[in-house]
Amino acid sequence: MTETRDFHLGDILTITTEFMVTPNGVDGIYQILNWMTGDNLFTHQLPRATRECAPDLLRQHPDLAAVTVPAFGDDEREVWAWLDEQVRRYGETRPVAPLHPDGHTRIDPLTELRMIAPHVPVIGVEIPPTTEETNHA
């Protein structure tokens, strides 16, 4: 049996609709995508992981495919009122299983950054081990 973890509906809808409706902010996005991919994603990797995870989330919860996000005005309260309505309709949390290992491509974060933005200089910094780390080695 596949292990699952419960996530807020807003976290799931943020991935499936690509609209930021998570009450947990960017932390909610990191949590669900890291859980599903088994990775420790960097910010620039979130869009790719979203594209990998969204179809599987809709496979796990096909009823959520019917959810469409309306055009909101400038009032953030509209977003939260809409999300509250979705929570009443679909439930506050849903169990989410990780992707199959073949469902996520692991790419070194610096390599991926160079792929996305080859013109951006990437400067590596070597941090020497602390005395405590050296003593435990």
Side-chain angles (χ1 to χ4, degrees):
M1 188 161 131
T2 303
E3 182 181 3
T4 63
R5 183 173 155 198
D6 286 345
F7 286 91
H8 192 278
L9 181 67
D11 298 340
I12 296 167
L13 293 176
T14 295
I15 304 307
T16 61
T17 67
E18 295 188 19
F19 284 90
M20 182 76 154
V21 294
T22 170
N24 300 312
V26 74
D27 286 343
I29 297 169
Y30 277 105
Q31 289 170 12
I32 192 169
L33 292 176
N34 283 342
W35 166 252
M36 290 189 73
T37 63
D39 210 338
N40 187 17
L41 300 164
F42 282 52
T43 303
H44 64 279
Q45 295 178 303
L46 297 179
R48 179 175 58 85
T50 295
R51 289 188 302 274
E52 292 173 331
C53 293
D56 196 64
L57 279 170
L58 291 174
R59 182 191 57 73
Q60 293 180 46
H61 304 287
D63 59 323
L64 298 181
V67 176
T68 57
V69 181
F72 295 112
D74 293 334
D75 190 348
E76 190 177 314
R77 292 176 296 186
E78 292 177 34
V79 175
W80 305 130
W82 175 84
L83 182 59
D84 286 343
E85 180 184 324
Q86 304 316 301
V87 164
R88 283 190 298 278
R89 182 177 295 152
Y90 297 102
E92 185 170 6
T93 62
R94 293 277 181 107
V96 173
L99 288 174
H100 184 277
D102 294 341
H104 171 63
T105 302
R106 290 183 187 272
I107 302 174
D108 173 75
L110 292 179
T111 300
E112 187 164 4
L113 183 58
R114 287 185 186 108
M115 292 165 49
I116 295 169
H119 60 283
V120 175
V122 178
I123 301 169
V125 177
E126 186 175 331
I127 301 173
T130 64
T131 306
E132 184 176 306
E133 291 171 331
T134 306
N135 291 337
H136 287 89

